[in-house]
């Protein structure tokens, strides 16, 4: 059974820090993916080793993810981890 993990991002701090809007969008997406995967790992009480096996990455990558080391994981790697975490990507545009 898939669990829904919601991560809402309003105006991301990355838009103030990044050099370009594209870089800010990439950093924001990576932060949201890292938060969702991290919530799944901690919510399921997976050990670092178990999470690494499930996600198809090294234990060091899991530790980096849980520590919020955003520069060590690219967006492709994070998207590839989603199925192993039992998550799927759902992008929606909402008008405020």
């Amino acid at each position: 059974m898939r669990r829904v993990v919601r991560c809402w991002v309003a105006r991301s701090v990355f838009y103030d820090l990044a050099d370009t809007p594209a870089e800010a969008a990439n950093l924001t997406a990576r932060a949201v993916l890292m938060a969702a995967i991290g919530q799944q790992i901690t919510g399921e009480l997976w050990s670092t080793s178990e999470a690494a096996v499930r996600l198809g990455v090294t234990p060091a990558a899991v530790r980096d993810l849980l520590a919020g080391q955003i520069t060590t994981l690219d967006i492709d790697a994070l998207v590839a981890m989603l199925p192993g975490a039992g998550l799927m990507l759902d992008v929606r545009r909402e008008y405020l």
Side-chain angles (χ1 to χ4, degrees), residues 1 11 19 29 36 42-43 45 53 57 59 63 70 73 75-76 78 83 85:
M1 179 170 164
R11 171 105 167 117
D19 292 330
T42 57
L45 304 176
V53 169
V57 298
R63 284 191 294 275
I70 197 165
L73 297 165
I75 197 162
D76 291 336
L78 292 164

Side-chain angles (χ1 to χ4, degrees), residues 2-42:
R2 293 190 184 259
R3 192 176 91 172
V4 175
V5 178
R6 298 195 189 276
C7 293
W8 299 96
V9 175
R11 171 105 167 117
S12 168
V13 67
F14 295 118
Y15 284 90
D16 295 327
L17 300 175
D19 292 330
T20 66
E23 180 185 10
N26 184 285
L27 288 166
T28 300
R30 286 164 45 198
V32 169
L33 291 170
M34 288 177 74
I37 296 166
Q39 286 176 19
Q40 186 72 350
I41 291 168
T42 57

Side-chain angles (χ1 to χ4, degrees), residues 53-86:
V53 169
R54 288 177 179 266
L55 301 177
V57 298
T58 65
V62 173
R63 284 191 294 275
D64 287 347
L65 184 145
L66 294 174
Q69 298 296 320
I70 197 165
T71 58
T72 62
L73 297 165
D74 65 23
I75 197 162
D76 291 336
L78 292 164
V79 170
M81 291 181 201
L82 292 176

